[in-house]
Amino acid sequence: MAQGSAAASIAAGIHDPLLMEAALALHDNRLSDAEPLLRRHLKADPFDVAAMRMLAELAGRIGRYSDAENLLRRALELAPEFGAARANLATCLYRQNRPTDAIAELDLLLVEEPRHLGHTNLKAAALGRIGGFEEAIGLYEDVLSKRPEQPKVWMSYGHMLKTVGRQEDGVAAYRRAIAIEPTLGEVWWSLANLKTVKFSHADIEAMLAAVATQGLTDEDRFHLDFALGKALEDQREYRLSFEHYAAGNALRRVSLDYQPAAITTLVDRTIAIATPRFFRERTGQGSVARDPIFVLGMPRAGSTLIEQILSSHSQVEGTSELPDIALLAMRGPDYPQRLAALEPDTLRKLGDNYIERTRVQRQTDKPLFIDKMPNNWAHVPFIHLILPNAIIIDARRDPLDCCFSNFKQHYARGQAFSYALDDMARYYSDYVRLMSHVDAIQPGRVHRVIYENMVNDTEGEVRAMLAACGLEFEENCLRFHENDRAVRTASSEQVRRPINRDGIAAWRNFEPWLGPLKEVLGDEAATPELQGW
C-alpha cells in the first residue's frame, strides 16, 4: 500500500546511514539516541514521510500522542497511500480514547486490506469503546476463525462477551487463551475479575507454576499475583492471599510515576477557589443541558450498582466511565485557578462541548444519561460551573472496605493511587475532604448514596435517589439485576445478581496487615455515617 512519496522515502532510508542508525536505536529502545538523529534528518529533509513515522513512533512510546498524531497526519498529507502511517495513526487515536476517529482510519485501511487481522482486531477493540459490542464480537470471531492460536485475541473476545452478559461464553474464551498460553497472567486475572468465578485447586496449582516460570514478565507476574490473591481469599487462606495481593501491588506501583501530593495540592487549590461567593457570582452561567447524571466517588464504592439501578429506569441510559470531564477540565495550564478567569460564554461552550463529545456513547433517545467516571469527584466544582443543571451522585462506602477492595483490584489503566495502602488512604482522605467542602458551600448539590444503606434498605435508598434525579419511582429499578445492558467495569457480574451483603466488612479478614491504611485514614476509618458496619 505504500506508494509514491512513502515508497521513495523507505527506499532512500535503506541507504541513509543516519536514518538506519536512528532505526537501530528505536529497535533497541534507545529513544534518547534516536530522537536527535531523526530530528536532524528531518531538518535536512522535511518531506521524508518514513522518518516522520519513525519520530511519531518514538513520541507514542513516551506518551506524547498529540505530537505523534501531528507527525502522522503530516506524513499522510504528503503520502495518502502510506498504509503503515495510517495504521499507526489509528492506534494513536485509540490510545487517546478517540475510538470513533480510530475506526474512521481503520475503515480506510480495511477497504484496501479487508483480511488484515491486525486492523480488524483494533477495530473490534475500538467498537467496544463506543458500545458496538455485537459488531465487535463478530469481528473477533472472524479473526479467531482464521487465527485460532492467538491467546490475546481470545482474551479480548472474552472481555467483550463478559461485557454483554455472556459469562459462560466469556469464561470459555478465557480458558481457551490459558490453554494456549498458561503463563498469560492477564487472562488469569480476567477470570478472577469476574468475581463470581471460583478457582479450583488445579487452577491454583497452575497459577503457582506459572508465577514460578523463569523469564516471566513483570506484567504477567503481577496479574498472576492479583489472581492468586483472589483465589486464595476464596479458600480463606488470608495470609497467603494478602502476600500475593501485596506482591502484585508492589510490582505494579514501581512502574507508575504516581505522586500523592499532586492530588492533595489539587484539592487544596480547588477548595481555595470554590467559595460561596465564587459560585454566587456565576449563577445562571454554563450550559442549560440537563442530560447528565454524574455518578462519582471512590472506585469500588458501589457506583456500578447505582448505574445499573438508574439505567433500569425508562428515562435513563447507562453509558460507561467517560473521560471527557477530566480532559476538558485539565485542558490548559493552572487548573483549577484559571476557572476564575473563564467568561460566561466559555463556561457555556465547555458544557455544550461535553454534551457533544459524549453523544457518541449514547445509543438511545432517553432524556438522561449516566457518566460513571468515579474520579470525577475531583472536578465537582468544574462540573457545576459548566453544567449547573446536571445531577451529581456521590457513591460512598465504608473506608476500610472501599480502600481494601481497591487494593485487591488491578485496573487496566488509571487509578494509580490504588497500589499502596498509604497512597490509597491519602487519596480517600482528599476525596472526602473535597466532598465535605462542596457539602458545606452548596448544601444539597450532591446526593450521597451510602453503599451499606443501599444494601440495608434498597427500596428506600432507590426512591430517594430517583427523587434526587427528578424521576418517578419505577419497579424495574429494584429488579436491576435483570437488566441485560452491557456493563464494562469490574463489577459487571456482581450487578447481575440481586443485592447482597458479600462485600460488607470483608476487610476484617485482612486486618492484621492493614496497619498503613488505618494509620493514614485515622478517624476516617470509621466515619459517623458508616459506624456499625
Side-chain angles (χ1 to χ4, degrees):
M1 196 172 165
Q3 298 171 3
S5 299
S9 290
I10 294 168
I14 295 172
H15 304 289
D16 187 310
L18 190 68
L19 206 56
M20 290 300 293
E21 186 180 350
L24 183 60
L26 263 183
H27 178 270
D28 296 339
N29 208 37
R30 292 182 286 110
L31 305 186
S32 60
D33 294 335
E35 184 167 9
L37 294 170
L38 288 167
R39 292 197 180 281
R40 194 191 321 165
H41 178 86
L42 282 167
K43 187 174 182 180
D45 185 358
F47 301 104
D48 188 333
V49 293
M52 289 178 199
R53 179 183 172 238
M54 291 168 66
L55 188 57
E57 180 183 341
L58 186 151
R61 288 192 199 179
I62 59 177
R64 288 173 11 205
Y65 295 120
S66 180
D67 292 343
E69 180 184 350
N70 290 337
L71 285 161
L72 291 166
R73 290 199 183 280
R74 175 58 176 157
L76 288 167
E77 182 182 319
L78 294 168
E81 301 300 316
F82 194 179
R86 194 172 300 281
N88 290 152
L89 177 59
T91 301
C92 179
L93 293 167
Y94 177 78
R95 289 176 178 170
Q96 292 180 85
N97 202 39
R98 291 161 58 189
T100 304
D101 294 338
I103 289 168
E105 301 299 334
L106 289 164
D107 283 343
L108 292 173
L109 289 163
L110 286 165
V111 167
E112 298 295 327
E113 299 177 278
R115 299 182 182 277
H116 194 292
L117 298 184
H119 302 336
T120 304
N121 192 47
L122 183 57
K123 182 177 178 180
L127 283 165
R129 292 264 182 98
I130 59 172
F133 303 114
E134 294 303 331
E135 185 179 354
I137 286 170
L139 290 175
Y140 281 130
E141 289 172 348
D142 183 50
V143 171
L144 289 168
S145 69
K146 299 177 176 68
R147 297 286 296 276
E149 75 287 359
Q150 300 293 314
K152 291 189 176 180
V153 180
W154 280 107
M155 179 177 69
S156 297
Y157 179 47
H159 294 341
M160 210 65 67
L161 293 168
K162 176 207 77 166
T163 297
V164 300
R166 292 171 56 184
Q167 178 176 331
E168 187 175 334
D169 293 336
V171 169
Y174 290 147
R175 292 286 185 185
R176 182 72 178 267
I178 288 168
I180 298 168
E181 192 171 336
T183 60
L184 186 54
E186 190 177 350
V187 187
W188 286 108
W189 168 244
S190 297
L191 278 171
N193 203 27
L194 288 169
K195 312 301 182 188
T196 54
V197 170
K198 302 296 184 184
F199 287 114
S200 67
H201 288 290
D203 287 331
I204 294 173
E205 290 300 317
M207 284 189 277
L208 289 170
V211 85
T213 301
Q214 287 288 106
L216 193 68
T217 68
D218 284 353
E219 185 175 352
D220 284 326
R221 186 174 301 280
F222 65 64
H223 277 115
L224 282 161
D225 274 324
F226 278 104
L228 279 163
K230 168 67 166 61
L232 291 163
E233 181 180 0
D234 288 344
Q235 297 290 328
R236 300 185 179 181
E237 296 280 357
Y238 299 121
R239 181 184 63 80
L240 289 174
S241 169
F242 186 82
E243 287 178 3
H244 281 285
Y245 282 138
N249 275 286
L251 188 57
R252 186 75 176 95
R253 180 65 178 88
V254 297
S255 68
L256 299 169
D257 182 24
Y258 175 67
Q259 303 295 329
I263 300 296
T264 301
T265 299
L266 174 63
V267 170
D268 288 344
R269 291 174 175 170
T270 303
I271 288 174
I273 194 174
T275 64
R277 179 180 177 182
F278 177 79
F279 287 108
R280 193 165 53 246
E281 291 173 345
R282 289 159 179 80
T283 300
Q285 298 180 16
S287 172
V288 299
R290 299 177 178 272
D291 311 33
I293 301 174
F294 291 95
V295 179
L296 44 79
M298 286 285 291
R300 310 297 300 154
S303 58
T304 303
L305 174 63
I306 292 170
E307 180 190 37
Q308 189 78 344
I309 291 168
L310 287 173
S311 65
S312 299
H313 195 282
S314 63
Q315 302 299 300
V316 183
E317 178 178 0
T319 56
S320 64
E321 297 180 353
L322 308 180
D324 303 271
I325 283 294
L327 291 172
L328 290 171
M330 305 297 282
R331 182 185 291 171
D334 301 323
Y335 177 80
Q337 295 94 316
R338 66 182 175 82
L339 296 181
L342 296 182
E343 297 292 333
D345 189 54
T346 302
L347 293 175
R348 178 185 56 77
K349 287 179 178 177
L350 282 166
D352 291 343
N353 189 2
Y354 168 84
I355 297 298
E356 188 59 35
R357 288 169 64 103
T358 55
R359 201 174 303 282
V360 68
Q361 300 289 345
R362 303 181 66 174
Q363 308 294 318
T364 73
D365 59 358
K366 294 181 180 181
L368 301 177
F369 75 97
I370 302 167
D371 180 339
K372 199 195 73 68
M373 177 61 78
N375 313 74
N376 280 340
W377 68 262
H379 305 294
V380 165
F382 176 73
I383 291 171
H384 180 69
L385 283 177
I386 70 169
L387 291 158
N389 298 312
I391 297 153
I392 302 175
I393 297 174
D394 174 24
R396 187 75 60 90
R397 183 183 178 189
D398 174 89
L400 291 171
D401 267 336
C402 185
C403 289
F404 187 58
S405 184
N406 274 281
F407 190 71
K408 297 190 296 182
Q409 182 71 36
H410 175 261
Y411 296 95
R413 58 186 179 276
Q415 318 305 6
F417 67 87
S418 69
Y419 299 106
L421 291 173
D422 53 347
D423 286 348
M424 190 132 41
R426 284 189 64 177
Y427 187 89
Y428 187 96
S429 296
D430 283 331
Y431 147 67
V432 169
R433 190 160 59 94
L434 180 58
M435 297 310 294
S436 297
H437 178 74
V438 171
D439 290 345
I441 64 169
Q442 293 183 302
R445 178 66 181 93
V446 174
H447 179 76
R448 185 157 294 110
V449 176
I450 307 298
Y451 175 77
E452 290 80 2
N453 293 346
M454 180 68 80
V455 172
N456 194 46
D457 179 18
T458 305
E459 182 169 343
E461 289 296 311
V462 169
R463 285 182 177 276
M465 181 169 65
L466 292 175
C469 296
L471 295 169
E472 296 291 328
F473 175 76
E474 291 183 359
E475 197 71 31
N476 280 346
C477 294
L478 298 180
R479 298 197 300 271
F480 62 87
H481 52 282
E482 298 173 4
N483 189 336
D484 62 359
R485 61 178 286 270
V487 182
R488 302 184 226 194
T489 68
S491 303
S492 60
E493 298 313 308
Q494 292 166 297
V495 299
R496 292 186 172 114
R497 296 184 295 156
I499 205 162
N500 59 75
R501 304 176 66 86
D502 290 355
I504 293 178
W507 66 271
R508 294 190 184 279
N509 294 320
F510 297 86
E511 187 169 13
W513 307 286
L514 300 184
L517 177 62
K518 297 174 77 173
E519 181 180 350
V520 178
L521 280 175
D523 293 342
E524 284 170 9
T527 57
E529 61 193 34
L530 299 179
Q531 284 177 353
W533 294 98

